[in-house]
């Protein structure tokens, strides 16, 4: 006999799926403290625990909702508290591989099973017809009430309801939850495996005449401005929308002028659906979704999603989220100009969608279905291709659509993620088309796209995306000409791009520009919103963020669960500022005499925005004012002059124009900056390079060599004193601590291992020449790795310039840099620059350039040009996996200061007006070695990098190689920089 948890059936005894909506029906929340006992196999504690009189006094206490693997539980009978974090019994992270043998639909006998018990009192006046609702149980639950079995279900992120014959007074609920079940095969998403009753449990009163299910059909005709409303329900009821003067019966249709719903103007009409015994709340949004001429439109206008992929995550409670956390996500998204969410890779808690309706976010809702791990069997027995699983798959899609069909925010249904192909997708697609013809369907992974209304890919390169935009993409293998032709006619949806793992992603602006250029591309969804790290402590009590590699378990998804725009605790990473810029709904292009305003929004004009201008001279405000920008309609453009006063510049003169919200919104108080633009009106002349001549006397110098304010070590040629500052350096630096993106994806684009295989992280220096002439000092040498023959020949030419020194560096790479014994065709240099060792007293940095956050050559547009002042310690971005961070591109000048040390000033010079800098208390090698932030220790020095160039960040951890233009070309290079102390 097949055990229920190993059956391909999705469940038994459950009520039909239905819409989730607030109503005045009485609800008894069963959230709270339950009794719990964990057992090693699916037998749990045995058959006895369902009995009314079962003695659970020795059991543990368990919070519901929660994932038991994240809870610390103390046996009621005494004994030590248990935390499973970091063990194979605890949260496990796999990316694509199953944590059970690939033996569908069976699971291992080792199957941690939690038996839950709750005794609750029912109010005396409670009527019959009660429904027991579980909003989410991972992964399979069987339920008993007062000793009677009610049913069982799989489908972790989907609700199920059971008829619950409650009795007055005391009731006993018993639930057995299996960690592994046949459902596991359908839930192979790249995330933590987190079992438990992790969403709400509630009892709902259902007297005769209650409204079981209702379906709101709210359409919008953009030509006439007319909304059409019909509400169907399983019970006769009255529909009332007072604001629209609508009062009608279910099944009747009303046509009224309305304002449409959109993500930027989320106009909801509140109302009720009233039967004799129940009133359901309606939040109606009128909108019309349609694909026409290969373009995805809502209300007659193309939509270009500014999207993110969102997993439900909290670093302490996993996928158990409270409403406040959901609001926090939505507010942060709206403030970062995000207007669309893909609910990767499962339906979220239903409250999240109510909030999306209200705050305004387009939702691409994805079903709880992923069978990625079948890839390890060559997709043999893949459930979508096996009719035995058809009911289970259909059950999931049905439960999603039925639950969420009434949300205006949901504009596309996604059948699954990463589940390859199978006939069942056609069945699912057909079912959705019949049940809900108002929304298109997406399925990304089948190369024929026959069951998808969109062409879609993940992580294409910029070139490929551009080709797709032009409908000129290559034909994928194994598709018929008819399929190819149909696919070419479809809109393109970039379901995942810009893998935000660690430092990065780069190129957000590049992707956005391409998306806006082509109507075919209906936008994209960055992977992903938030790092999925879990708060943990080491054996010695140090707090850290746990990722997959912290658990000794195979298969292991590594650190790929730390790939969000927010850190696990929801503080934004620098990428969020970059995203906010790329996703600006209004583009502000500032010129010398005025500003061009492009309204890229879908619906709203710009009348909700205030435009202000500021003139700064080397970062100091000089003048400002408010601009009178007449309202620019959605898709329109406006131009206004800026009354910039004449101002003789001292430094760099920058005109900044900002568009701020004029009034408070639910997601931001008035004054929130939605968009901004800058224009450099004047730049001071860059300091000229001092003249020098090769003529005159030259001498090797004595023990110490002096030149202007500088003293050099005669043997190494390094600067040891600059004015009153004792320092050491510079040395040529061609390395950086690899970012997650530098590690690439498996063997693909793994620059980090090339760097260490070719020794870039262990360069040694040799000085060949230290030669003092009248007006300069020439130092020459070679920097090269151990083991290898390749290296960098360099010359550093020092010249006095008043109280300063000007350094001109010339480098020549000597080979062979390619075709080394390793597989490296092309060794990229992560940086080309100089590293100085400074006294640890340097504590602050002031600079003019991009800031205040870190910037790289492919991710700086979200950071303004200005003067910034930061503590050295605050220049570090605390990535939970230490890696290169804290760079600043386009720096014109930099000043480091500290107690009892002279200010150190660095300027660009003629021909080389800008440089990159980083300042930190540890070296790149320390950063590279550290596994956690707490491994980083103050080295007792401040390490200052002044770089000619550092390569971009890219997103190769899952994505294309770093574009050529963001690399450091391996060619003969010269640059100069000016240093002054005091
Ligand atoms: C893609 C997955 O859909 C997503 O869940 C996540 O794993 C992401 O990659 C990488 O972090 S699938 C991948 C094979 C492109």
């Amino acid at each position: 006999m097949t055990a229920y948890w190993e059956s391909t059936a999705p469940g038994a005894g459950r009520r039909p799926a239905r819409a989730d909506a607030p109503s005045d029906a009485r609800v008894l929340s069963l959230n709270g403290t339950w009794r719990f006992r964990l057992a090693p196999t699916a037998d749990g504690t045995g058959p006895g625990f369902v009995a009314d009189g079962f003695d659970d006094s020795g059991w543990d206490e368990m919070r519901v909702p929660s994932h038991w693997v994240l809870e610390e539980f103390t046996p009621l009978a005494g004994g030590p508290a248990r935390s499973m974090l970091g063990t194979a019994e605890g949260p496990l992270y796999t990316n694509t591989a199953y944590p059970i043998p690939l033996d569908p639909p069976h699971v291992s006998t080792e199957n941690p099973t939690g038996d839950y018990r709750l005794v609750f009192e029912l109010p005396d006046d409670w009527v019959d017809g009660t429904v027991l609702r579980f909003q989410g149980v991972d992964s399979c639950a069987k339920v008993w009430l007062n000793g009677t079995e009610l049913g069982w279900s799989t489908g972790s992120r989907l609700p199920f309801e059971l008829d619950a014959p409650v009795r007055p007074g005391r009731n006993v609920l018993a639930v057995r939850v299996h960690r592994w079940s046949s459902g596991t095969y359908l839930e192979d998403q790249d995330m933590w495996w987190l079992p438990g009753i992790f969403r709400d449990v509630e009892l709902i009163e259902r007297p005769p005449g209650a409204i079981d299910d209702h379906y709101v059909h709210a359409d919008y005709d953009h030509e006439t401005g007319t909304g059409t409303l019909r509400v169907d329900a399983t019970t006769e009821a009255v529909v009332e929308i007072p604001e629209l003067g609508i009062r009608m019966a279910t099944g009747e249709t009303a046509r009224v002028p309305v304002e449409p719903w959109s993500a930027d103007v989320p106009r909801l009409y509140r109302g009720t659906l009233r039967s004799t015994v129940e009133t359901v709340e309606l939040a109606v949004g009128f909108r019309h979704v349609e694909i026409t001429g290969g373009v995805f439109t809502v209300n007659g206008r193309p939509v270009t999603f500014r999207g993110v992929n969102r997993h439900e995550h909290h670093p302490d409670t996993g996928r158990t989220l409270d409403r406040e956390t959901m609001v926090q996500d939505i507010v942060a998204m709206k403030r970062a100009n995000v207007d669309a969410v893909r609910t990767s890779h499962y339906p979220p808690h239903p409250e999240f969608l109510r909030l999306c309706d209200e705050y305004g976010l387009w939702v691409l809702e994805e079903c709880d279905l992923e069978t990625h791990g079948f890839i390890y069997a060559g997709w043999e027995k893949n459930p979508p291709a096996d009719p035995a699983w058809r009911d289970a798959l259909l059950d999931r899609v049905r439960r999603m659509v039925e639950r969420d069909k009434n949300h205006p925010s949901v504009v596309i249904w996604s059948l699954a993620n990463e589940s390859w192909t199978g006939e069942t997708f056609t069945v699912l697609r057909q079912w959705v088309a019949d049940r809900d013809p108002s929304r298109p369907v997406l399925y990304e992974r089948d190369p024929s796209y026959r069951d998808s209304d969109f062409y879609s890919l993940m992580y294409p390169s910029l070139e490929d995306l551009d080709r797709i935009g032009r409908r000129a993409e290559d034909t994928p293998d194994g598709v018929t000409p008819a399929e190819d032709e149909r696919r070419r006619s479809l809109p393109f949806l970039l379901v995942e791009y810009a893998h935000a793992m660690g430092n990065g992603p780069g190129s957000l602006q590049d992707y956005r520009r391409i998306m806006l250029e082509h109507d075919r591309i209906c936008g994209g969804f960055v992977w992903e919103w938030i790092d999925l790290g879990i708060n943990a402590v080491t054996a010695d009590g140090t707090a850290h963020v746990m990722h997959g590699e912290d658990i000794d378990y195979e298969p292991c998804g590594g650190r790929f669960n730390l790939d969000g725009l927010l850190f696990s605790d929801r503080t934004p990473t620098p990428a969020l500022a970059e995203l906010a810029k790329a996703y600006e709904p209004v583009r502000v292009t500032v010129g010398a005499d005025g500003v061009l305003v492009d309204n890229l929004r879908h619906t709203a004009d710009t009348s909700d925005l205030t435009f202000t201008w500021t003139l700064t001279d080397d970062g100091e405000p000089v003048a400002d004012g408010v601009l009178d920008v007449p309202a620019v309609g959605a898709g329109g453009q406006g131009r206004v002059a800026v009354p910039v006063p004449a101002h003789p510049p001292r430094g760099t003169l920058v005109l900044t124009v900002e568009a701020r919200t004029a009034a408070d919104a639910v997601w931001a108080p008035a004054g929130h900056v939605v968009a901004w633009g800058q224009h450099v009106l004047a730049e001071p002349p860059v300091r000229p390079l001092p003249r020098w001549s090769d003529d005159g006397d030259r001498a090797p110098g004595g023990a110490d060599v002096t030149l202007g304010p500088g003293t050099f070590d005669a043997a190494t040629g390094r600067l040891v004193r600059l004015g009153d500052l004792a320092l050491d350096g510079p040395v040529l630096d061609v390395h950086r601590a690899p970012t997650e993106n530098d590690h690439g994806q498996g063997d693909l684009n793994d620059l980090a291992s090339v760097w260490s295989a070719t020794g870039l992280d262990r360069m040694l220096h040799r000085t060949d020449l230290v030669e003092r002439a009248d007006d300069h000092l020439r130092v020459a040498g070679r920097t090269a790795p151990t083991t290898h023959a390749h290296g960098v020949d360099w010359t550093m030419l020092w010249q006095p310039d008043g109280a300063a020194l000007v350094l001109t560096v010339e480098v020549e790479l000597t080979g062979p840099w390619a075709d080394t014994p390793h597989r490296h065709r092309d060794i990229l240099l992560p940086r080309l620059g100089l590293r100085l060792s400074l006294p640890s007293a340097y504590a602050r940095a002031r600079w003019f350039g991009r800031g205040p956050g870190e910037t790289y050559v492919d991710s700086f547009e979200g950071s303004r040009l200005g003067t910034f002042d930061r503590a050295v310690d605050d220049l570090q971005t605390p990535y939970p996996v230490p890696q290169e961070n804290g760079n600043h591109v386009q720096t014109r000048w930099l000043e480091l200061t500290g107690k009892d040390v002279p200010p150190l000033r660095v300027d660009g010079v003629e021909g080389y007006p800008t440089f990159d800098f980083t300042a930190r208390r540890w070296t790149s090698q320390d950063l590279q070695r550290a596994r956690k932030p707490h491994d980083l220790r103050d080295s007792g020095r401040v390490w200052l990098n002044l770089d000619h160039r550092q390569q971009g960040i890219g997103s190769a951890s899952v994505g294309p190689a770093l574009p050529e233009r963001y690399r450091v070309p391996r060619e003969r290079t010269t640059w100069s920089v000016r240093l002054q102390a005091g």
Side-chain angles (χ1 to χ4, degrees):
M1 198 197 81
T2 314
Y4 64 92
W5 65 90
E6 295 186 295
S7 136
T8 51
R14 302 166 307 167
R15 290 170 55 89
R18 65 192 186 105
D20 183 304
S23 94
D24 65 351
R26 191 151 42 148
V27 174
L28 182 66
S29 168
L30 301 183
N31 293 349
T33 307
W34 293 37
R35 293 289 160 93
F36 179 77
R37 176 68 11 133
L38 188 62
T41 71
D43 290 340
T45 58
F49 90 116
V50 307
D52 204 338
F54 179 83
D55 178 13
D56 60 18
S57 60
W59 283 24
D60 306 304
E61 288 192 327
M62 177 59 64
R63 212 163 26 152
V64 169
S66 78
H67 303 280
W68 75 69
V69 288
L70 296 179
E71 296 297 296
E72 199 167 90
F73 42 99
T74 315
L76 289 173
R82 287 176 67 192
S83 162
M84 300 178 157
L85 289 193
T87 73
E89 278 194 288
L92 296 177
Y93 171 60
T94 68
N95 184 333
T96 53
Y98 286 106
I100 51 170
L102 195 46
D103 179 24
H106 305 289
V107 301
S108 48
T109 301
E110 295 90 341
N111 187 359
T113 292
D115 282 351
Y116 290 74
R117 277 175 57 91
L118 178 74
V119 176
F120 63 91
E121 291 288 321
L122 202 69
D124 287 343
D125 58 346
W126 194 275
V127 300
D128 281 347
T130 305
V131 163
L132 174 62
R133 174 159 68 196
F134 290 84
Q135 291 284 18
V137 183
D138 191 333
S139 81
C140 174
K142 190 168 202 169
V143 182
W144 295 261
L145 182 70
N146 301 324
T148 305
E149 182 180 323
L150 302 186
W152 64 273
S153 186
T154 51
S156 301
R157 271 71 56 173
L158 288 160
F160 66 92
E161 291 183 328
L162 303 161
D163 286 316
V166 286
R167 61 191 180 201
R170 184 175 182 277
N171 287 268
V172 181
L173 184 60
V175 186
R176 174 161 288 160
V177 180
H178 307 293
R179 184 165 194 176
W180 312 127
S181 68
S182 63
T184 303
Y185 288 100
L186 308 179
E187 297 175 4
D188 192 27
Q189 293 94 340
D190 171 11
M191 60 190 194
W192 295 100
W193 296 94
L194 299 173
I197 304 176
F198 74 99
R199 285 185 190 158
D200 313 287
V201 185
E202 53 225 332
L203 270 184
I204 311 163
E205 206 173 31
R206 310 307 295 151
I211 303 164
D212 241 353
D213 192 16
H214 70 288
Y215 197 160
V216 177
H217 305 274
D219 200 1
Y220 178 72
D221 180 341
H222 71 275
E223 309 245 333
T224 60
T226 307
T228 306
L229 179 67
R230 190 186 84 235
V231 181
D232 295 332
T234 45
T235 307
E236 256 178 50
V238 177
V239 181
E240 268 187 281
I241 312 280
E243 201 186 337
L244 293 173
I246 292 176
R247 192 190 147 84
M248 63 184 181
T250 46
E252 288 179 8
T253 301
R255 286 192 182 77
V256 278
V258 293
E259 282 177 62
W261 188 96
S262 66
D264 44 305
V265 188
R267 183 68 163 94
L268 287 178
Y269 292 91
R270 306 268 175 190
T272 52
L273 177 66
R274 197 186 304 272
S275 77
T276 47
V277 299
E278 185 180 15
T279 303
V280 171
E281 288 174 30
L282 299 178
V284 179
F286 294 89
R287 49 135 193 72
H288 183 78
V289 182
E290 192 176 339
I291 292 172
T292 117
V295 176
F296 175 73
T297 67
V298 179
N299 304 332
R301 288 208 3 103
V303 177
T304 314
F305 295 122
R306 309 192 300 262
V308 291
N309 278 283
R310 174 184 181 265
H311 265 293
E312 291 181 313
H313 184 72
H314 187 284
D316 293 318
T317 58
R319 287 188 285 275
T320 299
L321 296 194
D322 56 15
R323 185 174 190 275
E324 202 188 319
T325 308
M326 300 175 207
V327 171
Q328 226 184 318
D329 274 350
I330 291 178
V331 164
M333 286 177 191
K334 294 287 286 186
R335 290 185 182 180
N337 294 326
V338 168
D339 76 350
V341 189
R342 173 174 177 235
T343 68
S344 52
H345 300 298
Y346 42 81
H349 189 286
E351 186 64 19
F352 182 76
L353 296 176
R354 280 192 278 277
L355 291 164
C356 289
D357 291 346
E358 193 181 315
Y359 282 75
L361 286 169
W362 307 112
V363 176
L364 159 48
E365 187 173 1
E366 189 150 271
C367 194
D368 194 354
L369 176 55
E370 174 161 347
T371 64
H372 213 150
F374 281 85
I375 199 170
Y376 299 102
W379 296 103
E380 209 39 52
K381 296 192 183 165
N382 186 30
D386 179 351
W389 290 90
R390 194 154 287 178
D391 283 352
L393 270 53
L394 200 48
D395 175 71
R396 286 169 185 248
V397 169
R398 186 185 285 132
R399 280 155 73 194
M400 168 177 79
V401 172
E402 294 299 354
R403 191 192 76 169
D404 297 329
K405 57 187 178 278
N406 294 330
H407 291 289
S409 57
V410 176
V411 287
I412 300 172
W413 301 116
S414 164
L415 299 178
N417 186 54
E418 294 276 11
S419 303
W420 196 227
T421 58
E423 297 302 323
T424 297
F425 281 117
T426 309
V427 176
L428 302 181
R429 161 73 188 286
Q430 211 37 63
W431 184 87
V432 178
D434 291 345
R435 180 63 178 151
D436 178 18
S438 77
R439 294 176 179 95
V441 167
L442 168 77
Y443 179 56
E444 183 267 347
R445 192 45 36 148
D446 181 343
S448 76
Y449 295 90
R450 61 182 177 187
D451 301 313
S452 177
D453 294 316
F454 297 84
Y455 174 34
S456 178
L457 287 178
M458 295 176 178
Y459 309 104
S461 68
L462 296 165
E463 294 72 23
D464 286 347
L465 184 62
D466 185 61
R467 262 195 292 278
I468 290 166
R470 291 185 277 107
R471 296 186 199 262
E473 68 275 8
D474 296 340
T475 299
D477 291 341
V479 300
T480 66
E483 285 166 344
D484 191 45
E485 194 186 323
R486 176 182 172 274
R487 183 184 49 74
R488 259 174 224 286
S489 72
L490 301 176
F492 180 80
L493 189 148
L494 189 50
V495 81
E496 292 177 22
Y497 80 108
H499 198 248
M501 187 175 185
N503 186 341
S507 280
L508 283 171
Q509 298 282 351
D510 298 331
Y511 279 103
R512 188 65 189 163
R513 276 189 276 266
I514 297 172
M515 287 182 216
L516 290 173
E517 264 165 33
H518 308 285
D519 257 6
R520 183 190 194 188
I521 306 178
C522 57
F525 296 79
V526 167
W527 188 267
E528 67 178 305
W529 177 241
I530 180 170
D531 276 358
L532 310 179
I534 291 177
N535 288 336
V537 286
T538 61
D540 69 2
T542 310
H544 70 113
V545 173
M546 189 172 88
H547 52 71
E549 273 177 9
D550 291 325
I551 299 147
D552 182 14
Y553 178 81
E554 277 300 329
C556 169
R559 305 184 300 267
F560 276 82
N561 45 3
L562 299 183
D563 53 4
L565 296 161
L566 307 186
F567 289 121
S568 305
D569 66 359
R570 290 195 156 68
T571 53
T573 73
L576 197 66
E578 197 58 21
L579 185 77
K581 184 71 184 156
Y583 278 1
E584 283 180 345
V586 170
R587 202 190 296 134
V588 174
T589 313
V590 188
D593 53 351
V595 47
L596 187 66
V597 176
D598 281 287
N599 184 356
L600 307 173
R601 290 164 164 184
H602 180 265
T603 306
D605 67 20
T606 57
S607 57
D608 60 325
L609 301 174
T610 307
F611 291 81
T612 54
W613 62 271
T614 320
L615 183 68
T616 50
D617 189 350
D618 240 0
E620 298 297 322
V622 175
D624 56 37
V626 178
L627 288 174
D628 184 17
V629 180
V632 179
Q637 203 176 56
R639 187 186 290 276
V640 289
V642 184
V644 188
H647 171 83
R650 226 172 1 96
T652 308
L653 211 54
V654 178
L655 177 62
T656 303
V657 175
E658 290 179 327
R660 293 171 178 269
T661 53
D664 289 345
V666 272
W667 50 273
H672 169 76
V673 177
V674 168
W676 55 274
Q678 289 185 308
H679 182 71
V680 177
L681 290 175
E683 283 208 81
V686 185
R687 291 170 185 276
L689 264 177
R691 307 267 142 250
W692 66 287
S693 95
D694 236 349
D695 308 335
D697 292 342
R698 287 180 221 170
D704 276 347
V705 184
T706 59
L707 179 79
T711 307
F712 296 80
D713 178 295
T716 63
R718 288 189 200 161
L719 184 64
V720 290
R721 267 201 109 69
L722 180 62
D724 293 332
L725 165 64
L727 75 172
D728 183 23
V731 293
L732 193 77
D733 195 353
V734 291
H735 181 57
R736 76 176 181 195
T739 63
E740 293 288 22
N741 287 311
D742 293 336
H743 289 289
Q745 190 176 9
D747 277 346
L748 198 64
N749 302 314
D750 184 358
L751 304 180
S753 71
V754 177
W755 297 339
S756 49
T758 55
L760 293 195
D761 53 356
R762 46 176 201 282
M763 300 297 258
L764 298 174
H765 309 280
R766 187 187 83 208
T767 304
D768 297 326
L769 174 84
V770 180
E771 192 180 70
R772 171 79 157 85
D774 286 349
D775 58 358
H776 66 267
L777 174 78
R778 191 200 303 265
V779 184
R782 183 166 191 270
T783 294
T786 62
T787 322
H788 299 284
H790 53 251
V792 188
D793 288 339
W794 47 262
T795 304
M796 298 192 192
L797 182 84
W798 294 90
Q799 297 171 267
D801 184 21
L805 286 175
V806 171
L807 168 60
T808 298
V809 190
E810 210 178 287
V811 300
E812 173 93 83
L813 291 105
T814 54
W817 277 88
D819 304 315
T820 57
H822 304 274
R823 61 207 132 85
H824 324 117
R825 309 139 314 268
D826 195 18
I827 306 163
L828 306 182
L829 296 186
R831 70 154 32 99
L832 189 53
L834 301 169
R835 191 174 85 185
L836 289 141
S837 165
L838 302 176
S840 71
Y842 283 107
R844 289 204 81 80
R846 263 189 96 226
W847 74 97
F848 184 87
R850 293 280 171 172
E854 68 190 17
T855 51
Y856 292 83
V857 65
D858 60 349
S859 58
F860 65 82
E861 291 183 51
S863 299
R864 300 181 189 211
L865 203 55
T867 303
F868 304 96
D869 188 343
R870 286 286 181 283
V872 167
D873 293 332
D874 294 338
L875 295 175
Q876 321 307 317
T877 306
Y879 290 107
V881 176
Q883 57 195 286
E884 158 61 31
N885 70 88
N887 188 59
H888 296 278
V889 297
Q890 300 174 13
T891 312
R892 264 87 161 158
W893 56 259
L894 162 72
E895 217 165 67
L896 290 185
T897 53
K899 200 166 173 288
D900 301 329
V901 279
L904 173 65
R905 164 104 186 182
V906 186
D907 285 276
V909 281
E910 184 186 344
Y912 310 98
T914 63
F915 54 92
D916 283 21
F917 88 91
T918 45
R920 47 171 80 109
R921 300 192 180 279
W922 37 78
T923 63
S924 297
Q925 278 74 11
D926 297 334
L927 256 183
Q928 177 169 349
R929 263 190 302 269
R931 295 179 46 85
K932 295 277 173 171
H934 56 255
D935 296 333
L936 290 165
R937 304 262 187 274
D938 185 348
S939 67
R941 304 293 292 170
V942 166
W943 301 92
L944 175 66
N945 254 98
L946 301 173
D947 295 329
H948 173 58
R949 185 172 164 96
Q950 194 183 139
Q951 78 167 35
I953 292 295
S955 60
S957 51
V958 176
L962 184 69
E964 193 75 38
R965 62 181 180 280
Y966 298 131
R967 302 179 184 185
V968 179
R970 233 179 44 240
E971 62 193 20
R972 186 191 181 91
T973 307
T974 303
W975 77 97
S976 301
V977 70
R978 186 176 186 275
L979 301 170
Q980 180 174 349

